[in-house]
Structures are given as structure tokens and as C-alpha cells.
Amino acid sequence: MKAVITSILTAIILALIFSLPALAQDSGTITITMNGVNEISISLDKTQWPLGNVASDTEYTTSPPIEWCTLTVEGNCNVKTRILGEDARWYKDGVAQNYYWTLSNTNESDISDSVRGHKYMLWFRVRGDNPPDGRGYVLITKEPSEFWPYDAGSSLAPGDTKQFGLKLLTPTYFIGGRQMQTQITISAVTD
């Protein structure tokens, strides 16, 4: 009887030894929790406005006037947009020279020529922003201002697009034959 019990116990032990690997799991799961960062990204479908020769004290408008360029929010979060201008500078053979047209920070188109002098003005206008309820053309200055400020909310969501145009008023006098360049910067920050 002892031999039978010993044989049964040995059989059970051998069965357990060979079956333990079969009872173990062959995979496990780890849960990783993380938050993605905000990806801020905007794009413009136009980055040049080549005017060629310009006359003094003359307005130039992009064509079409308010659908010339499209801004697209390409990131994954809502953004607020800002626009900023700078003085126009003379470039000779690709090198910046020490001659400027000063970007006006006020709507001075109606003041005397002697006061306005070498100042020029830039405006932008967003499609759908129509007076009397909208802003119409908005002056671009050297201080950042909101590109899209509205009562319904100043932020733009991923995939949103806004079309806009530009208008330029040249200085009342300037030295001709010089290639003048300026830049407008449109930036985005998270909402």
C-alpha cells in the first residue's frame, strides 16, 4: 500500500512539474498613462508679395483683396494668433543697408506729407470681417496685435482656416531705385 501511495504521489508530482509551465501566463499587460504635448503649428499658403516698382503716397492691395492668403491651423490645439510688422529696409545685392521706411503705428494717412515723410502703412483684412460690425482693414504695427479677435472667441481650432489680404500705403517721399523689404510675422500661442 505504501508503494501504491508513493507511486501516486510521484505521478502527481511529475504531472505538476511538467504542467507548471503550461499554467503560467505567456504574456502580460503594462498600462502606461501619459499626456501628449500641445503641438502649435500654423501655415500660410503665400509668403511673398512682390510689388515691383511703387510710386510715392500710393495704396497697393493684394489681389484678391481679402482672399489672397490662407492661414491654416495645423497643430493639435486651439491657438490665438498675433500679427506684427517691422520697418522696411533697403537691400542692395542681398545685404541690408542703413536706409529705412518707418512702419507707422497709427492711422496717419490723413496727416500732412511733411509729418508722415518716410513712414509707410500696412493693413490686413480677414475675409468675413466686414464693417459696420467687423473691423475692416486693421493697421499692422511693430507691436503684436490680435489677428483674429472676435466676440465668438479669439481662438482658432485645429484645421481652421482664415483668408486675409494686405494693403500698403507707401511713404509720401523716398529715394527711388532702392529695393525695400519688410516682413510681417503671424504667430500662434496656445489658447
Side-chain angles (χ1 to χ4, degrees):
M1 173 98 163
K2 280 185 173 185
V4 172
I5 293 176
T6 306
S7 296
I8 293 175
L9 280 174
T10 304
I12 292 173
I13 291 172
L14 287 174
L16 286 175
I17 289 174
F18 290 112
S19 66
L20 282 179
L23 295 175
Q25 292 185 350
D26 62 352
S27 65
T29 302
I30 297 174
T31 302
I32 300 173
T33 304
M34 65 191 93
N35 293 325
V37 295
N38 288 334
E39 294 177 18
I40 302 169
S41 177
I42 60 171
S43 67
L44 301 171
D45 73 338
K46 301 257 188 332
T47 58
Q48 299 282 326
W49 183 22
L51 288 172
N53 293 326
V54 295
S56 62
D57 200 27
T58 305
E59 280 188 5
Y60 296 88
T61 306
T62 55
S63 179
I66 58 175
E67 298 167 341
W68 172 74
C69 184
T70 302
L71 175 145
T72 303
V73 179
E74 294 183 342
N76 65 2
C77 60
N78 289 359
V79 296
K80 289 187 177 186
T81 49
R82 300 213 170 278
I83 189 165
L84 169 73
E86 64 180 31
D87 293 338
R89 192 166 188 180
W90 172 34
Y91 280 81
K92 181 178 180 182
D93 300 323
V95 178
Q97 305 296 311
N98 195 21
Y99 175 76
Y100 298 89
W101 293 351
T102 304
L103 179 60
S104 178
N105 61 357
T106 60
N107 261 328
E108 298 173 343
S109 59
D110 57 344
I111 63 173
S112 71
D113 291 350
S114 62
V115 174
R116 193 161 65 83
H118 280 21
K119 288 186 178 180
Y120 80 104
M121 282 173 261
L122 274 172
W123 295 268
F124 73 96
R125 182 169 172 194
V126 178
R127 181 178 180 209
D129 184 8
N130 301 318
D133 298 332
R135 300 174 302 167
Y137 277 101
V138 178
L139 190 68
I140 299 170
T141 68
K142 292 186 269 187
E143 295 295 321
S145 60
E146 286 185 293
F147 178 76
W148 183 251
Y150 285 94
D151 295 339
S154 59
S155 66
L156 298 172
D160 280 357
T161 61
K162 293 295 169 198
Q163 289 183 308
F164 66 97
L166 301 171
K167 181 168 71 170
L168 169 94
L169 175 61
T170 58
T172 55
Y173 61 90
F174 54 83
I175 299 172
R178 294 184 172 183
Q179 181 183 2
M180 303 300 292
Q181 289 183 5
T182 189
Q183 291 186 351
I184 299 167
T185 302
I186 299 176
S187 59
V189 296
T190 57
D191 191 14

